[in-house]
Amino acid sequence: MDYVNAFLVGGLICVIGQILIDKTALTPARILTGFVVAGVILTALGLYKPLVDFAGQGASVPISGFGFLMAEGVEKAVKADGAIGIITGPLTAAAGGICVAIVFSVIAGLLCKSKEK
């Protein structure tokens, strides 16, 4: 049942994004930013954690899960370190994912040739 829950919630998040792309004049970059901010706001309101508990990776893998990850990092760091945790929390929480993205981007850049447009 965990797979079904993850599929349904992750699919619903993607459907919302696709509807925003199709029915609004928002650019994909603004939609992605909106999803990250929505993840932060829903975490602050205490609504995203129960969704992650219910759907697992279906809620934490989409880009809104990145906002959830950063908000949780801030919360933990502020409790441990005080106000400096506002800066260090999201960087520490997301360091693994950011590092992997950079490494794979460098590998892709080395393996692929750029083309003139």
XYZ file of all heavy atoms in Angstrom:
824
model
N 0.823 -1.202 0.000
C 0.000 0.000 0.000
C 0.865 1.262 0.000
O 0.429 2.303 -0.470
C -0.932 -0.047 1.215
C -2.056 0.915 1.142
S -3.115 0.518 -0.242
C -4.254 1.822 -0.164
N 2.090 1.140 0.535
C 2.992 2.297 0.556
C 3.299 2.784 -0.855
O 3.373 3.989 -1.106
C 4.303 1.952 1.275
C 4.113 1.736 2.765
O 3.115 2.252 3.309
O 4.962 1.056 3.374
N 3.467 1.839 -1.789
C 3.748 2.209 -3.173
C 2.572 2.948 -3.799
O 2.759 3.904 -4.555
C 4.082 0.969 -4.006
C 5.366 0.298 -3.607
C 5.367 -1.019 -3.164
C 6.581 0.965 -3.666
C 6.541 -1.649 -2.801
C 7.763 0.351 -3.294
C 7.740 -0.956 -2.867
O 8.901 -1.577 -2.511
N 1.383 2.511 -3.491
C 0.180 3.160 -4.033
C 0.060 4.574 -3.492
O -0.205 5.521 -4.246
C -1.078 2.321 -3.715
C -2.342 3.068 -4.115
C -1.010 0.970 -4.386
N 0.275 4.738 -2.188
C 0.203 6.070 -1.585
C 1.251 6.998 -2.189
O 0.966 8.155 -2.505
C 0.390 5.983 -0.073
C -0.756 5.282 0.617
O -1.848 5.157 0.071
N -0.507 4.799 1.822
N 2.478 6.486 -2.351
C 3.542 7.299 -2.938
C 3.200 7.686 -4.372
O 3.392 8.839 -4.778
C 4.863 6.539 -2.893
N 2.691 6.732 -5.131
C 2.325 7.002 -6.520
C 1.217 8.041 -6.613
O 1.284 8.970 -7.430
C 1.895 5.703 -7.208
C 1.427 5.901 -8.615
C 2.337 6.085 -9.638
C 0.077 5.910 -8.922
C 1.906 6.268 -10.944
C -0.363 6.088 -10.214
C 0.556 6.270 -11.234
N 0.190 7.900 -5.787
C -0.943 8.822 -5.852
C -0.561 10.244 -5.446
O -0.916 11.213 -6.111
C -2.096 8.305 -4.995
C -2.780 7.035 -5.511
C -3.829 6.557 -4.513
C -3.388 7.266 -6.873
N 0.177 10.375 -4.343
C 0.548 11.714 -3.869
C 1.563 12.354 -4.811
O 1.422 13.521 -5.191
C 1.072 11.657 -2.419
C 1.661 12.995 -2.006
C -0.048 11.262 -1.474
N 2.581 11.604 -5.211
C 3.562 12.135 -6.150
C 2.924 12.495 -7.474
O 3.225 13.533 -8.072
N 2.017 11.647 -7.940
C 1.299 11.926 -9.177
C 0.423 13.159 -9.068
O 0.342 13.956 -10.006
N -0.220 13.334 -7.933
C -1.069 14.513 -7.726
C -0.242 15.795 -7.740
O -0.656 16.801 -8.330
C -1.843 14.387 -6.409
C -2.786 15.534 -6.083
C -3.902 15.625 -7.122
C -3.376 15.350 -4.696
N 0.921 15.754 -7.116
C 1.810 16.928 -7.127
C 2.217 17.247 -8.569
O 2.216 18.412 -8.984
C 3.032 16.696 -6.224
C 2.588 16.642 -4.755
C 4.080 17.791 -6.427
C 3.668 16.195 -3.788
N 2.537 16.222 -9.342
C 2.915 16.425 -10.748
C 1.742 16.931 -11.579
O 1.921 17.776 -12.466
C 3.468 15.139 -11.331
S 5.046 14.649 -10.610
N 0.548 16.437 -11.306
C -0.646 16.897 -12.025
C -0.887 18.379 -11.751
O -1.202 19.149 -12.666
C -1.884 16.055 -11.637
C -3.176 16.723 -12.058
C -1.781 14.667 -12.243
N -0.707 18.791 -10.504
C -0.872 20.206 -10.171
C 0.128 21.049 -10.960
O -0.216 22.090 -11.523
C -0.716 20.429 -8.653
C -1.887 19.793 -7.911
C -0.619 21.916 -8.327
C -1.703 19.715 -6.403
N 1.378 20.589 -11.020
C 2.386 21.304 -11.794
C 2.038 21.371 -13.274
O 2.196 22.419 -13.910
N 1.556 20.272 -13.832
C 1.196 20.253 -15.253
C 0.016 21.176 -15.537
O -0.008 21.865 -16.563
C 0.871 18.834 -15.705
C 0.728 18.703 -17.199
C 2.004 19.018 -17.944
O 3.065 18.522 -17.597
N 1.910 19.859 -18.959
N -0.955 21.204 -14.642
C -2.092 22.117 -14.809
C -1.619 23.563 -14.782
O -2.066 24.388 -15.578
C -3.177 21.846 -13.743
C -3.862 20.508 -14.031
C -4.198 22.981 -13.700
C -4.783 20.037 -12.926
N -0.696 23.870 -13.873
C -0.156 25.237 -13.812
C 0.578 25.601 -15.099
O 0.478 26.727 -15.579
C 0.770 25.388 -12.602
C 0.090 25.388 -11.239
C 1.128 25.351 -10.134
C -0.807 26.598 -11.090
N 1.309 24.644 -15.672
C 2.014 24.908 -16.928
C 1.020 25.132 -18.066
O 1.170 26.062 -18.862
C 2.968 23.739 -17.275
C 4.158 23.733 -16.319
C 3.455 23.829 -18.721
C 5.042 22.519 -16.433
N -0.017 24.294 -18.129
C -0.969 24.360 -19.235
C -1.952 25.517 -19.152
O -2.325 26.091 -20.170
C -1.770 23.058 -19.322
C -0.918 21.881 -19.748
O 0.188 22.091 -20.280
O -1.362 20.729 -19.524
N -2.391 25.867 -17.962
C -3.509 26.813 -17.814
C -3.106 28.210 -17.363
O -3.953 29.091 -17.294
C -4.529 26.263 -16.801
C -5.106 24.916 -17.193
C -5.950 25.024 -18.436
C -6.563 23.670 -18.761
N -7.273 23.680 -20.014
N -1.834 28.423 -17.032
C -1.410 29.753 -16.590
C -0.282 30.243 -17.481
O 0.275 29.494 -18.282
C -0.921 29.742 -15.127
O 0.280 28.978 -15.040
C -1.981 29.186 -14.195
N 0.060 31.497 -17.328
C 1.172 32.079 -18.077
C 2.474 32.005 -17.277
O 3.460 32.621 -17.661
C 0.849 33.527 -18.425
N 2.466 31.248 -16.178
C 3.669 31.136 -15.361
C 4.746 30.351 -16.093
O 4.463 29.364 -16.772
C 3.344 30.430 -14.040
C 2.407 31.153 -13.081
C 2.043 30.239 -11.916
C 3.065 32.415 -12.566
N 5.976 30.781 -15.941
C 7.091 30.050 -16.537
C 7.408 28.837 -15.662
O 7.083 28.825 -14.464
C 8.336 30.935 -16.639
O 8.749 31.306 -15.321
C 8.066 32.179 -17.478
N 8.033 27.819 -16.236
C 8.404 26.658 -15.422
C 9.283 27.017 -14.221
O 9.141 26.428 -13.154
C 9.146 25.755 -16.406
C 8.528 26.077 -17.721
C 8.262 27.558 -17.667
N 10.158 27.997 -14.387
C 11.011 28.411 -13.266
C 10.177 28.979 -12.119
O 10.447 28.697 -10.943
C 12.039 29.433 -13.734
N 9.172 29.753 -12.436
C 8.308 30.310 -11.385
C 7.473 29.222 -10.720
O 7.216 29.270 -9.524
C 7.411 31.400 -11.964
C 8.195 32.645 -12.293
C 7.317 33.756 -12.740
N 8.134 34.934 -13.004
C 7.682 36.066 -13.439
N 6.393 36.210 -13.688
N 8.497 37.075 -13.644
N 7.050 28.258 -11.499
C 6.276 27.152 -10.925
C 7.157 26.344 -9.982
O 6.735 25.992 -8.869
C 5.675 26.281 -12.043
C 4.614 27.086 -12.817
C 5.056 25.010 -11.473
C 4.130 26.425 -14.083
N 8.387 26.038 -10.393
C 9.306 25.302 -9.520
C 9.576 26.068 -8.233
O 9.568 25.493 -7.139
C 10.615 25.016 -10.254
C 10.549 23.973 -11.358
C 11.863 23.911 -12.113
C 10.200 22.624 -10.791
N 9.822 27.362 -8.364
C 10.046 28.189 -7.180
C 8.814 28.193 -6.285
O 8.924 28.110 -5.061
C 10.400 29.630 -7.596
O 11.528 29.593 -8.469
C 10.716 30.490 -6.401
N 7.647 28.264 -6.886
C 6.402 28.223 -6.121
C 6.236 26.917 -5.365
O 5.780 26.910 -4.211
N 6.620 25.806 -5.983
C 6.548 24.515 -5.298
C 7.508 24.450 -4.109
O 7.166 23.910 -3.066
C 6.834 23.368 -6.273
C 5.616 22.847 -6.966
C 5.390 23.128 -8.298
C 4.686 22.079 -6.299
C 4.268 22.654 -8.954
C 3.558 21.590 -6.930
C 3.347 21.879 -8.261
N 8.710 24.985 -4.266
C 9.662 25.000 -3.148
C 9.114 25.848 -2.007
O 9.121 25.431 -0.843
C 11.048 25.503 -3.602
C 11.971 25.689 -2.402
C 11.668 24.548 -4.592
N 8.619 27.029 -2.336
C 8.053 27.913 -1.311
C 6.823 27.268 -0.670
O 6.635 27.343 0.550
C 7.717 29.294 -1.916
C 6.933 30.160 -0.940
C 8.995 30.003 -2.346
N 5.997 26.608 -1.464
C 4.827 25.912 -0.908
C 5.258 24.819 0.057
O 4.639 24.628 1.108
C 3.978 25.326 -2.033
N 6.334 24.100 -0.277
C 6.854 23.077 0.635
C 7.301 23.671 1.955
O 7.051 23.104 3.024
N 7.954 24.832 1.900
C 8.396 25.509 3.129
C 7.192 25.965 3.942
O 7.133 25.752 5.162
C 9.313 26.700 2.796
C 9.595 27.540 4.027
C 10.618 26.221 2.171
N 6.232 26.593 3.285
C 5.051 27.110 3.995
C 4.235 25.966 4.600
O 3.810 26.047 5.760
C 4.194 27.979 3.050
C 4.946 29.271 2.712
C 2.838 28.297 3.665
C 4.305 30.097 1.626
N 4.017 24.903 3.833
C 3.250 23.771 4.362
C 3.979 23.101 5.524
O 3.345 22.615 6.461
C 2.959 22.763 3.254
C 1.969 23.221 2.184
C 1.891 22.213 1.050
C 0.593 23.458 2.793
N 5.306 23.093 5.488
C 6.073 22.551 6.611
C 5.922 23.442 7.827
O 5.735 22.947 8.951
C 7.557 22.415 6.229
O 7.659 21.573 5.082
C 8.361 21.815 7.366
N 5.992 24.744 7.628
C 5.844 25.683 8.740
C 4.460 25.574 9.383
O 4.321 25.749 10.600
C 6.089 27.110 8.265
N 3.459 25.263 8.578
C 2.096 25.118 9.101
C 1.842 23.721 9.686
O 0.773 23.458 10.214
C 1.074 25.388 7.989
C 1.041 26.811 7.436
C 0.094 26.906 6.250
C 0.645 27.803 8.527
N 2.828 22.836 9.542
C 2.691 21.487 10.087
C 1.883 20.557 9.208
O 1.408 19.514 9.673
N 1.735 20.890 7.926
C 0.918 20.087 7.029
C 1.725 19.146 6.140
O 1.203 18.134 5.675
C 0.067 21.000 6.140
C -0.900 21.927 6.877
C -1.571 22.877 5.908
C -1.930 21.101 7.629
N 2.984 19.456 5.896
C 3.752 18.632 4.956
C 4.325 17.384 5.607
O 4.433 16.348 4.966
C 4.878 19.464 4.309
C 5.236 18.961 2.929
C 4.509 19.360 1.827
C 6.284 18.081 2.730
C 4.811 18.892 0.556
C 6.601 17.604 1.463
C 5.857 18.027 0.380
O 6.155 17.541 -0.875
N 4.697 17.449 6.867
C 5.242 16.273 7.567
C 4.246 15.116 7.576
O 4.627 13.983 7.289
C 5.678 16.664 8.986
C 6.228 15.526 9.808
C 7.536 15.023 9.265
C 8.128 14.012 10.235
N 9.103 13.161 9.603
N 2.961 15.336 7.905
C 2.007 14.224 7.822
C 1.868 13.676 6.397
O 1.679 12.470 6.210
C 0.681 14.826 8.292
C 1.053 16.013 9.092
C 2.331 16.513 8.514
N 2.004 14.529 5.395
C 1.947 14.073 4.014
C 3.146 13.177 3.696
O 3.001 12.139 3.048
C 1.907 15.273 3.065
C 1.682 14.979 1.589
C 0.322 14.329 1.374
C 1.807 16.243 0.774
N 4.327 13.548 4.179
C 5.523 12.724 3.976
C 5.382 11.410 4.739
O 5.767 10.349 4.240
C 6.792 13.487 4.407
C 7.995 12.571 4.452
C 7.055 14.657 3.471
N 4.829 11.460 5.938
C 4.618 10.232 6.707
C 3.641 9.293 5.991
O 3.798 8.079 6.036
C 4.096 10.551 8.107
C 5.131 11.260 8.962
O 6.337 11.162 8.645
O 4.731 11.901 9.950
N 2.654 9.860 5.325
C 1.655 9.063 4.610
C 2.200 8.527 3.286
O 2.052 7.361 2.966
C 0.395 9.913 4.361
C -0.623 9.255 3.475
C -1.408 8.216 3.951
C -0.792 9.668 2.162
C -2.348 7.604 3.136
C -1.731 9.067 1.346
C -2.508 8.028 1.830
N 2.837 9.407 2.495
C 3.226 9.047 1.133
C 4.698 8.714 0.969
O 5.100 8.256 -0.098
C 2.856 10.178 0.180
N 5.505 8.949 1.967
C 6.925 8.646 1.865
C 7.591 9.415 0.740
O 7.489 10.634 0.649
N 8.264 8.677 -0.159
C 8.995 9.304 -1.254
C 8.075 9.993 -2.261
O 8.537 10.848 -3.019
C 9.868 8.268 -1.967
C 10.927 7.658 -1.073
C 11.866 8.697 -0.505
O 12.377 9.542 -1.221
N 12.089 8.642 0.790
N 6.814 9.660 -2.267
C 5.878 10.334 -3.152
C 5.712 11.803 -2.815
O 5.358 12.611 -3.668
N 5.997 12.168 -1.567
C 5.905 13.566 -1.157
C 7.283 14.214 -0.993
O 7.397 15.430 -1.078
C 5.140 13.684 0.155
N 8.313 13.414 -0.750
C 9.620 14.020 -0.510
C 10.497 14.113 -1.750
O 11.430 14.896 -1.780
C 10.365 13.267 0.601
O 10.560 11.923 0.254
N 10.212 13.345 -2.798
C 11.016 13.414 -4.024
C 10.658 14.614 -4.902
O 11.556 15.238 -5.461
C 10.923 12.082 -4.812
C 11.517 12.209 -6.193
C 11.623 10.983 -4.039
N 9.384 14.984 -5.071
C 9.088 16.166 -5.893
C 9.745 17.419 -5.319
O 10.182 17.442 -4.173
C 7.559 16.281 -5.832
C 7.089 14.916 -5.513
C 8.151 14.323 -4.638
N 9.805 18.460 -6.114
C 10.531 19.672 -5.732
C 9.966 20.315 -4.466
O 10.688 20.973 -3.724
C 10.584 20.673 -6.913
C 11.594 21.787 -6.671
C 9.217 21.254 -7.188
C 13.017 21.340 -6.755
N 8.700 20.096 -4.166
C 8.142 20.613 -2.911
C 8.799 19.936 -1.714
O 8.899 20.516 -0.636
C 6.629 20.426 -2.876
O 6.301 19.066 -3.092
N 9.295 18.723 -1.905
C 10.028 18.026 -0.852
C 11.343 18.709 -0.532
O 11.851 18.614 0.585
N 11.924 19.408 -1.509
C 13.147 20.176 -1.254
C 12.854 21.316 -0.286
O 13.644 21.585 0.618
C 13.719 20.704 -2.567
C 15.028 21.426 -2.415
C 16.174 20.735 -2.086
C 15.102 22.789 -2.614
C 17.389 21.391 -1.955
C 16.297 23.456 -2.487
C 17.450 22.749 -2.155
N 11.712 21.978 -0.453
C 11.309 23.023 0.487
C 11.078 22.454 1.871
O 11.459 23.049 2.884
N 10.470 21.268 1.932
C 10.256 20.570 3.200
C 11.592 20.260 3.867
O 11.778 20.489 5.066
C 9.456 19.295 2.948
C 9.441 18.319 4.083
C 8.725 18.590 5.241
C 10.138 17.123 4.003
C 8.706 17.685 6.295
C 10.124 16.216 5.041
C 9.410 16.500 6.194
N 12.550 19.754 3.088
C 13.873 19.421 3.605
C 14.566 20.650 4.171
O 15.144 20.611 5.269
C 14.720 18.811 2.483
C 16.167 18.484 2.806
C 16.233 17.299 3.754
C 16.929 18.197 1.530
N 14.507 21.752 3.457
C 15.158 22.973 3.923
C 14.486 23.524 5.178
O 15.169 23.958 6.107
C 15.171 24.010 2.802
C 16.081 23.590 1.666
S 16.182 24.774 0.345
C 17.013 26.107 1.145
N 13.169 23.498 5.224
C 12.465 24.000 6.402
C 12.767 23.150 7.629
O 12.955 23.684 8.724
C 10.959 24.040 6.137
N 12.832 21.827 7.454
C 13.187 20.958 8.573
C 14.616 21.219 9.032
O 14.902 21.201 10.225
C 13.034 19.492 8.190
C 11.662 18.954 8.428
C 11.665 17.431 8.505
O 12.552 16.789 7.918
O 10.764 16.904 9.161
N 15.517 21.465 8.090
C 16.904 21.775 8.432
C 17.010 23.049 9.242
O 17.773 23.112 10.219
N 16.247 24.063 8.875
C 16.245 25.319 9.632
C 15.712 25.086 11.042
O 16.286 25.559 12.022
C 15.407 26.401 8.905
C 15.156 27.594 9.814
C 16.096 26.833 7.634
N 14.623 24.350 11.133
C 14.012 24.092 12.442
C 14.989 23.395 13.392
O 15.162 23.812 14.543
C 12.757 23.246 12.259
C 11.999 22.989 13.544
C 10.761 22.143 13.318
O 10.400 21.862 12.163
O 10.160 21.749 14.329
N 15.652 22.349 12.907
C 16.599 21.612 13.741
C 17.807 22.464 14.107
O 18.277 22.435 15.245
C 17.054 20.342 13.031
C 15.981 19.290 12.922
C 16.464 18.085 12.131
C 15.329 17.090 11.915
N 15.739 15.979 11.061
N 18.330 23.219 13.137
C 19.520 24.027 13.387
C 19.234 25.186 14.329
O 20.084 25.543 15.155
C 20.095 24.545 12.077
N 18.064 25.782 14.241
C 17.720 26.880 15.155
C 17.595 26.359 16.583
O 18.040 27.011 17.530
C 16.427 27.593 14.688
C 15.875 28.500 15.766
C 16.700 28.385 13.422
N 17.027 25.165 16.740
C 16.937 24.572 18.082
C 18.318 24.267 18.645
O 18.565 24.433 19.835
C 16.100 23.295 18.051
C 14.621 23.548 17.894
C 13.846 22.250 17.849
C 12.365 22.522 17.608
N 11.594 21.290 17.448
N 19.238 23.830 17.783
C 20.570 23.441 18.246
C 21.527 24.622 18.367
O 22.287 24.707 19.341
C 21.169 22.407 17.300
N 21.498 25.549 17.402
C 22.518 26.595 17.331
C 21.994 28.008 17.507
O 22.781 28.952 17.481
C 23.248 26.515 15.984
C 23.890 25.169 15.753
O 24.317 24.540 16.740
O 23.956 24.740 14.586
N 20.716 28.197 17.598
C 20.168 29.537 17.709
C 19.947 30.170 16.346
O 19.743 29.476 15.346
N 20.049 31.486 16.296
C 19.716 32.233 15.085
C 20.620 31.904 13.901
O 20.196 31.992 12.752
C 19.748 33.730 15.359
N 21.856 31.517 14.147
C 22.765 31.171 13.041
C 22.246 29.956 12.270
O 22.588 29.757 11.111
C 24.209 30.951 13.552
C 25.211 30.930 12.385
C 24.312 29.668 14.334
C 25.450 32.257 11.758
N 21.393 29.161 12.903
C 20.798 28.002 12.254
C 19.913 28.359 11.079
O 19.660 27.513 10.217
N 19.456 29.618 11.018
C 18.655 30.069 9.878
C 19.479 29.983 8.599
O 18.964 29.651 7.534
C 18.145 31.510 10.106
C 17.202 31.543 11.313
C 17.479 32.065 8.861
C 16.838 32.936 11.772
N 20.773 30.228 8.716
C 21.658 30.177 7.551
C 22.232 28.779 7.350
O 22.252 28.253 6.243
C 22.795 31.203 7.702
C 22.212 32.609 7.751
C 23.804 31.071 6.563
C 23.193 33.675 8.147
N 22.684 28.158 8.429
C 23.373 26.873 8.297
C 22.424 25.693 8.123
O 22.800 24.695 7.514
C 24.257 26.612 9.528
O 23.441 26.556 10.699
C 25.319 27.686 9.671
N 21.224 25.785 8.636
C 20.280 24.668 8.599
C 19.954 24.147 7.214
O 20.118 22.967 6.939
N 19.489 25.032 6.306
C 19.144 24.514 4.981
C 20.367 24.023 4.203
O 20.274 23.075 3.434
C 18.478 25.692 4.275
C 18.763 26.888 5.084
C 19.124 26.426 6.458
N 21.513 24.658 4.411
C 22.716 24.220 3.704
C 23.155 22.843 4.175
O 23.545 21.991 3.378
C 23.841 25.238 3.908
C 23.592 26.625 3.321
C 24.716 27.578 3.715
C 23.465 26.555 1.818
N 23.079 22.615 5.472
C 23.461 21.310 6.010
C 22.474 20.231 5.595
O 22.878 19.138 5.195
C 23.534 21.386 7.552
O 24.441 22.427 7.914
C 23.997 20.088 8.147
N 21.197 20.535 5.648
C 20.167 19.544 5.326
C 20.203 19.138 3.859
O 19.978 17.977 3.523
C 18.789 20.086 5.686
N 20.492 20.089 2.989
C 20.440 19.815 1.558
C 21.814 19.569 0.943
O 21.919 19.415 -0.275
C 19.766 20.987 0.845
N 22.852 19.511 1.756
C 24.212 19.404 1.225
C 24.411 18.158 0.367
O 25.049 18.222 -0.688
C 25.215 19.419 2.369
N 23.886 17.029 0.791
C 24.065 15.794 0.022
C 23.458 15.883 -1.366
O 24.095 15.535 -2.361
N 22.222 16.346 -1.439
C 21.545 16.465 -2.732
C 22.193 17.485 -3.638
O 22.332 17.264 -4.848
N 22.617 18.603 -3.070
C 23.280 19.631 -3.867
C 24.619 19.115 -4.393
O 24.973 19.323 -5.555
C 23.454 20.922 -3.045
C 22.086 21.540 -2.757
C 24.354 21.913 -3.772
C 22.107 22.674 -1.758
N 25.359 18.408 -3.552
C 26.656 17.853 -3.955
C 26.490 16.850 -5.098
O 27.240 16.880 -6.082
C 27.331 17.205 -2.760
S 28.959 16.545 -3.131
N 25.518 15.974 -4.985
C 25.270 14.992 -6.043
C 24.881 15.681 -7.344
O 25.350 15.302 -8.427
C 24.185 13.983 -5.599
C 23.700 13.150 -6.756
C 24.719 13.102 -4.491
N 24.055 16.715 -7.267
C 23.652 17.449 -8.468
C 24.856 18.096 -9.138
O 24.990 18.065 -10.372
C 22.610 18.508 -8.113
N 25.755 18.660 -8.348
C 26.950 19.287 -8.915
C 27.853 18.240 -9.567
O 28.349 18.433 -10.679
C 27.709 20.084 -7.833
C 26.889 21.312 -7.422
C 29.090 20.504 -8.327
C 27.423 22.036 -6.206
N 28.079 17.127 -8.885
C 28.960 16.079 -9.422
C 28.416 15.535 -10.736
O 29.151 15.416 -11.733
C 29.156 14.944 -8.384
C 29.824 13.732 -9.022
C 29.968 15.439 -7.203
N 27.126 15.211 -10.783
C 26.561 14.681 -12.018
C 26.529 15.733 -13.126
O 26.650 15.392 -14.307
C 25.175 14.091 -11.780
C 25.219 12.734 -11.133
C 24.591 12.509 -9.920
C 25.905 11.687 -11.722
C 24.645 11.262 -9.317
C 25.958 10.433 -11.134
C 25.333 10.221 -9.927
N 26.383 16.999 -12.780
C 26.426 18.056 -13.790
C 27.814 18.164 -14.401
O 27.964 18.338 -15.617
C 26.029 19.397 -13.176
O 24.710 19.360 -12.727
N 28.839 18.060 -13.569
C 30.216 18.098 -14.077
C 30.482 16.894 -14.971
O 31.073 17.022 -16.055
C 31.228 18.166 -12.909
C 32.647 17.945 -13.405
C 31.121 19.493 -12.188
N 30.038 15.720 -14.547
C 30.226 14.516 -15.371
C 29.514 14.657 -16.714
O 30.082 14.351 -17.763
C 29.741 13.257 -14.616
C 30.673 12.970 -13.428
C 29.673 12.052 -15.552
C 30.157 11.896 -12.489
N 28.291 15.137 -16.696
C 27.548 15.343 -17.939
C 28.243 16.373 -18.822
O 28.312 16.216 -20.046
C 26.115 15.779 -17.644
N 28.779 17.426 -18.201
C 29.491 18.437 -18.965
C 30.758 17.903 -19.609
O 31.137 18.305 -20.710
N 31.430 16.983 -18.926
C 32.653 16.396 -19.483
C 32.355 15.378 -20.583
O 33.137 15.236 -21.523
C 33.461 15.726 -18.369
C 34.066 16.665 -17.326
C 34.690 15.866 -16.193
C 35.079 17.604 -17.956
N 31.242 14.666 -20.475
C 30.921 13.622 -21.437
C 30.212 14.133 -22.681
O 30.246 13.478 -23.733
C 30.065 12.545 -20.776
C 30.735 11.753 -19.663
C 29.746 10.773 -19.048
C 31.969 11.014 -20.171
N 29.546 15.265 -22.603
C 28.746 15.768 -23.725
C 29.416 16.976 -24.346
O 30.020 17.796 -23.660
C 27.352 16.142 -23.239
S 26.460 14.766 -22.495
N 29.272 17.089 -25.656
C 29.811 18.256 -26.363
C 28.703 19.275 -26.525
O 27.572 18.946 -26.877
C 30.340 17.847 -27.735
C 31.605 17.069 -27.686
C 32.145 16.856 -29.085
C 33.496 16.178 -29.026
N 34.104 16.102 -30.344
N 29.045 20.531 -26.308
C 28.056 21.585 -26.533
C 27.993 21.908 -28.030
O 28.956 21.712 -28.760
C 28.433 22.832 -25.733
O 29.674 23.323 -26.170
N 26.835 22.374 -28.456
C 26.628 22.679 -29.861
C 26.242 24.137 -30.010
O 25.569 24.701 -29.154
C 25.514 21.796 -30.434
C 25.832 20.326 -30.412
C 24.683 19.512 -30.955
C 24.993 18.038 -30.861
N 23.876 17.219 -31.312
N 26.661 24.734 -31.078
C 26.273 26.105 -31.409
C 24.825 26.122 -31.837
O 24.373 25.224 -32.547
C 27.150 26.658 -32.531
C 28.603 26.797 -32.164
C 28.882 27.986 -31.284
O 28.132 28.994 -31.389
O 29.823 27.918 -30.476
N 24.102 27.144 -31.459
C 22.702 27.269 -31.890
C 22.614 28.161 -33.092
O 23.334 28.996 -33.371
C 21.852 27.828 -30.758
C 21.624 26.820 -29.685
C 20.590 27.326 -28.734
C 20.298 26.239 -27.708
N 19.223 26.556 -26.858
